[in-house]
mmCIF file with all atom_site columns, all heavy atoms in Angstrom:
data_model
loop_
_atom_site.group_PDB
_atom_site.id
_atom_site.type_symbol
_atom_site.label_atom_id
_atom_site.label_alt_id
_atom_site.label_comp_id
_atom_site.label_asym_id
_atom_site.label_entity_id
_atom_site.label_seq_id
_atom_site.pdbx_PDB_ins_code
_atom_site.Cartn_x
_atom_site.Cartn_y
_atom_site.Cartn_z
_atom_site.occupancy
_atom_site.B_iso_or_equiv
_atom_site.pdbx_formal_charge
_atom_site.auth_seq_id
_atom_site.auth_comp_id
_atom_site.auth_asym_id
_atom_site.auth_atom_id
_atom_site.pdbx_PDB_model_num
ATOM 1  N N   . LYS A 1 141 ? 24.448 13.123 -2.861 1.00 0.00 ? 506 LYS A N   1
ATOM 2  C CA  . LYS A 1 141 ? 23.901 13.467 -4.190 1.00 0.00 ? 506 LYS A CA  1
ATOM 3  C C   . LYS A 1 141 ? 22.795 12.506 -4.587 1.00 0.00 ? 506 LYS A C   1
ATOM 4  O O   . LYS A 1 141 ? 21.736 12.889 -5.013 1.00 0.00 ? 506 LYS A O   1
ATOM 5  C CB  . LYS A 1 141 ? 25.041 13.546 -5.195 1.00 0.00 ? 506 LYS A CB  1
ATOM 6  C CG  . LYS A 1 141 ? 24.582 13.790 -6.625 1.00 0.00 ? 506 LYS A CG  1
ATOM 7  C CD  . LYS A 1 141 ? 25.868 13.898 -7.512 1.00 0.00 ? 506 LYS A CD  1
ATOM 8  C CE  . LYS A 1 141 ? 25.666 13.152 -8.763 1.00 0.00 ? 506 LYS A CE  1
ATOM 9  N NZ  . LYS A 1 141 ? 26.869 13.164 -9.615 1.00 0.00 ? 506 LYS A NZ  1
ATOM 10 N N   . ALA A 1 142 ? 23.110 11.187 -4.446 1.00 0.00 ? 507 ALA A N   1
ATOM 11 C CA  . ALA A 1 142 ? 22.170 10.183 -4.847 1.00 0.00 ? 507 ALA A CA  1
ATOM 12 C C   . ALA A 1 142 ? 20.895 10.234 -3.996 1.00 0.00 ? 507 ALA A C   1
ATOM 13 O O   . ALA A 1 142 ? 19.771 10.173 -4.511 1.00 0.00 ? 507 ALA A O   1
ATOM 14 C CB  . ALA A 1 142 ? 22.777 8.785  -4.752 1.00 0.00 ? 507 ALA A CB  1
ATOM 15 N N   . ALA A 1 143 ? 21.064 10.391 -2.662 1.00 0.00 ? 508 ALA A N   1
ATOM 16 C CA  . ALA A 1 143 ? 19.882 10.474 -1.777 1.00 0.00 ? 508 ALA A CA  1
ATOM 17 C C   . ALA A 1 143 ? 19.027 11.666 -2.088 1.00 0.00 ? 508 ALA A C   1
ATOM 18 O O   . ALA A 1 143 ? 17.814 11.594 -2.086 1.00 0.00 ? 508 ALA A O   1
ATOM 19 C CB  . ALA A 1 143 ? 20.371 10.502 -0.306 1.00 0.00 ? 508 ALA A CB  1
ATOM 20 N N   . LEU A 1 144 ? 19.641 12.805 -2.382 1.00 0.00 ? 509 LEU A N   1
ATOM 21 C CA  . LEU A 1 144 ? 18.875 14.017 -2.716 1.00 0.00 ? 509 LEU A CA  1
ATOM 22 C C   . LEU A 1 144 ? 18.104 13.845 -4.012 1.00 0.00 ? 509 LEU A C   1
ATOM 23 O O   . LEU A 1 144 ? 16.903 14.160 -4.101 1.00 0.00 ? 509 LEU A O   1
ATOM 24 C CB  . LEU A 1 144 ? 19.859 15.208 -2.848 1.00 0.00 ? 509 LEU A CB  1
ATOM 25 C CG  . LEU A 1 144 ? 19.182 16.554 -3.207 1.00 0.00 ? 509 LEU A CG  1
ATOM 26 C CD1 . LEU A 1 144 ? 18.240 17.009 -2.072 1.00 0.00 ? 509 LEU A CD1 1
ATOM 27 C CD2 . LEU A 1 144 ? 20.243 17.635 -3.457 1.00 0.00 ? 509 LEU A CD2 1
ATOM 28 N N   . ILE A 1 145 ? 18.768 13.250 -5.020 1.00 0.00 ? 510 ILE A N   1
ATOM 29 C CA  . ILE A 1 145 ? 18.033 13.055 -6.309 1.00 0.00 ? 510 ILE A CA  1
ATOM 30 C C   . ILE A 1 145 ? 16.948 12.008 -6.136 1.00 0.00 ? 510 ILE A C   1
ATOM 31 O O   . ILE A 1 145 ? 15.813 12.200 -6.643 1.00 0.00 ? 510 ILE A O   1
ATOM 32 C CB  . ILE A 1 145 ? 19.066 12.559 -7.373 1.00 0.00 ? 510 ILE A CB  1
ATOM 33 C CG1 . ILE A 1 145 ? 19.991 13.725 -7.724 1.00 0.00 ? 510 ILE A CG1 1
ATOM 34 C CG2 . ILE A 1 145 ? 18.356 12.072 -8.642 1.00 0.00 ? 510 ILE A CG2 1
ATOM 35 C CD1 . ILE A 1 145 ? 21.217 13.332 -8.605 1.00 0.00 ? 510 ILE A CD1 1
ATOM 36 N N   . ILE A 1 146 ? 17.161 10.964 -5.439 1.00 0.00 ? 511 ILE A N   1
ATOM 37 C CA  . ILE A 1 146 ? 16.147 9.906  -5.205 1.00 0.00 ? 511 ILE A CA  1
ATOM 38 C C   . ILE A 1 146 ? 14.970 10.488 -4.421 1.00 0.00 ? 511 ILE A C   1
ATOM 39 O O   . ILE A 1 146 ? 13.821 10.267 -4.782 1.00 0.00 ? 511 ILE A O   1
ATOM 40 C CB  . ILE A 1 146 ? 16.740 8.687  -4.478 1.00 0.00 ? 511 ILE A CB  1
ATOM 41 C CG1 . ILE A 1 146 ? 17.693 7.929  -5.380 1.00 0.00 ? 511 ILE A CG1 1
ATOM 42 C CG2 . ILE A 1 146 ? 15.634 7.754  -3.970 1.00 0.00 ? 511 ILE A CG2 1
ATOM 43 C CD1 . ILE A 1 146 ? 18.557 6.893  -4.686 1.00 0.00 ? 511 ILE A CD1 1
ATOM 44 N N   . GLY A 1 147 ? 15.231 11.252 -3.378 1.00 0.00 ? 512 GLY A N   1
ATOM 45 C CA  . GLY A 1 147 ? 14.179 11.872 -2.588 1.00 0.00 ? 512 GLY A CA  1
ATOM 46 C C   . GLY A 1 147 ? 13.373 12.856 -3.377 1.00 0.00 ? 512 GLY A C   1
ATOM 47 O O   . GLY A 1 147 ? 12.126 12.855 -3.366 1.00 0.00 ? 512 GLY A O   1
ATOM 48 N N   . CYS A 1 148 ? 14.035 13.733 -4.130 1.00 0.00 ? 513 CYS A N   1
ATOM 49 C CA  . CYS A 1 148 ? 13.327 14.743 -4.973 1.00 0.00 ? 513 CYS A CA  1
ATOM 50 C C   . CYS A 1 148 ? 12.518 14.049 -6.086 1.00 0.00 ? 513 CYS A C   1
ATOM 51 O O   . CYS A 1 148 ? 11.397 14.468 -6.344 1.00 0.00 ? 513 CYS A O   1
ATOM 52 C CB  . CYS A 1 148 ? 14.315 15.728 -5.553 1.00 0.00 ? 513 CYS A CB  1
ATOM 53 S SG  . CYS A 1 148 ? 15.034 16.847 -4.382 1.00 0.00 ? 513 CYS A SG  1
ATOM 54 N N   . THR A 1 149 ? 13.077 13.053 -6.692 1.00 0.00 ? 514 THR A N   1
ATOM 55 C CA  . THR A 1 149 ? 12.358 12.285 -7.717 1.00 0.00 ? 514 THR A CA  1
ATOM 56 C C   . THR A 1 149 ? 11.073 11.712 -7.174 1.00 0.00 ? 514 THR A C   1
ATOM 57 O O   . THR A 1 149 ? 10.027 11.786 -7.789 1.00 0.00 ? 514 THR A O   1
ATOM 58 C CB  . THR A 1 149 ? 13.264 11.187 -8.324 1.00 0.00 ? 514 THR A CB  1
ATOM 59 O OG1 . THR A 1 149 ? 14.476 11.802 -8.877 1.00 0.00 ? 514 THR A OG1 1
ATOM 60 C CG2 . THR A 1 149 ? 12.524 10.426 -9.437 1.00 0.00 ? 514 THR A CG2 1
#
Side-chain angles (χ1 to χ4, degrees):
K506 175 175 136 183
L509 180 64
I510 292 171
I511 290 167
C513 289
T514 302

